Amino acid sequence: GKSGYDHYMLKEIHEQPRALRKCLRERVDAIERTVDLDLEGLDDVSAIHLVACGTSYHAALYGARLLRERGIPAQTFVASEYDRASLAGETPLVVGVTQSGETADTLGALRTARAAGARTLAVTNTVGSTAARECDEALYVRAGPEIGVAATKTFASQQIALHAFALWLSEESIGSDRIDALRALPDQVQAVLDDSDARSVAEAYADSSAFFFVGRRHHQPVALEGALKLKEISYEHAEGFAAGELKHGPLALIEDDTPLIAVVTGDDEIAQKTVSNVKEVQARGAPVIAVTDGRSDVEQYANHVLEIPETDPTLAPVLANVQLQLLSYWIAAELGRPIDKPRHLAKSVTVK
Ligand code: F6R
């Protein structure tokens, strides 16, 4: 059942600390500072293609950046766009990111890869799924069953499974800071859940005419995910994009009833660039909701702040996304939408 929550989605959002602990269990060795994944035959990977759809595509974007940061060439493809030309004569490891393991487009992309001689890995929540059976190897994200159509805990678990994969695959040593940050993450997610002001912010803005989500670098995938989640369950217009793209078009849509939700953590030049984008939007009269760890001066230009604890820059998107999930949930609740079963959508899309 829903354990006292009004919707499975809210229950599953609250299950994230436990899901992440399960994802990390026996995989991260705090003393040796190693990550151990039970995967075989992947020790000479020179390049990676990640293929996925929807929310899983956003997790793949997050994972690909971490792989590249550790020196492993990695590219992300929308599964339905993946074809022979995507392989372009290469034989990369092709990673299908799919919580259900049954998404037709993702299975199709994996089959294309296999037909071209590529090795394949399924990153999935479902033991025994088609993706798990057809791929050479499977990495389970261990989120537990997800009933809500909108993916929440499976997304967080995909992020962390891909994070662990990037650390495991790379030759570089893993600093103790990163290991500590990973181990602290489930409790930090719990802190976000306990202290979030997303409900009152949602109540203030549920009637807005459109919502724009921005983030830069590590936060760009969660800006996309924040917008997808909101449109799915609230039926409101939402767009997510790289913060730097604002001035290349979307700024024309900014009005006083189009909130900008900006994810800004840290206080480096990357953060400062996003703060500049935020300033431009606020100067044009739009309300700004900043998801931040409070280290930059973004709060000065924000009408509301959704705070997250400080962590490693590579993990901040996981915490920020929890605030975005709650914001979407409470906007949809305020609008009285059927949150667990949005119109026209299915939990697992088995047709192309
Ligand atoms: C959104 C959502 C979908 C799925 C997509 C892929 O909340 O759940 O966008 O992420 O249909 O599904 P899987 O991960 O099962 O391949």
Side-chain angles (χ1 to χ4, degrees), residues 233-254:
I233 62 167
S234 75
Y235 310 157
E236 294 302 308
H237 183 77
E239 275 191 63
F241 35 82
E245 283 292 288
L246 255 173
K247 56 185 171 301
H248 299 292
L251 205 50
L253 299 174
I254 292 298

Side-chain angles (χ1 to χ4, degrees), residues 53-57 97-103 106 146 149-152 158 225 228-229 232 346-349:
C53 307
T55 289
S56 295
Y57 174 73
V97 184
T98 166
Q99 58 85 17
S100 64
E102 303 297 345
T103 300
T106 308
E146 189 174 68
V149 164
T152 53
Q158 284 171 336
E225 174 58 10
L228 178 62
K229 209 89 306 172
E232 269 186 284
K347 182 71 185 159
S348 164
V349 184

Side-chain angles (χ1 to χ4, degrees), residues 106-129:
T106 308
L107 295 176
L110 289 166
R111 287 170 188 153
T112 297
R114 225 168 5 259
R119 282 172 301 166
T120 53
L121 166 69
V123 176
T124 182
N125 194 37
T126 314
V127 177
S129 59

Side-chain angles (χ1 to χ4, degrees), residues 138-322:
L139 172 60
Y140 293 107
V141 308
R142 303 180 182 164
E146 189 174 68
I147 312 280
V149 164
T152 53
K153 64 174 179 170
T154 54
F155 175 71
S157 297
Q158 284 171 336
Q159 286 179 300
I160 292 312
L162 288 166
H163 198 130
F165 180 62
L167 297 177
W168 175 79
L169 198 60
S170 143
E171 306 277 292
E172 296 167 30
S173 66
I174 308 168
S176 47
D177 287 358
R178 182 75 68 93
I179 295 285
D180 292 346
L182 269 171
R183 285 163 48 87
L185 188 71
D187 286 343
Q188 291 186 312
V189 170
Q190 188 64 55
V192 173
L193 294 169
D194 292 343
D195 301 336
S196 176
D197 292 325
R199 185 174 189 169
S200 61
V201 175
E203 284 164 4
Y205 292 103
D207 292 327
S208 304
S209 63
F211 299 80
F212 299 106
F213 292 75
V214 296
R216 197 176 277 271
R217 303 289 194 276
H218 294 103
H219 292 314
Q220 187 251 1
V222 293
L224 305 187
E225 174 58 10
L228 178 62
K229 209 89 306 172
L230 182 61
K231 70 181 84 158
E232 269 186 284
I233 62 167
S234 75
Y235 310 157
E236 294 302 308
H237 183 77
E239 275 191 63
F241 35 82
E245 283 292 288
L246 255 173
K247 56 185 171 301
H248 299 292
L251 205 50
L253 299 174
I254 292 298
E255 295 191 55
D256 60 7
D257 65 345
T258 59
L260 178 83
I261 298 99
V263 184
V264 189
T265 59
D267 61 353
D268 58 3
E269 58 185 303
I270 304 297
Q272 281 314 316
K273 282 185 182 167
T274 310
V275 174
S276 302
N277 303 131
V278 165
K279 278 193 218 173
E280 286 165 29
V281 168
Q282 218 211 11
R284 285 160 181 81
V288 172
I289 301 160
V291 181
T292 181
D293 57 4
R295 293 178 61 206
S296 67
D297 58 349
V298 71
E299 300 186 15
Q300 253 178 266
Y301 311 98
N303 303 66
H304 300 274
V305 170
L306 296 174
E307 221 175 273
I308 60 169
E310 276 186 43
T311 180
D312 188 274
T314 61
L315 291 168
V318 180
L319 297 177
N321 188 61
V322 176

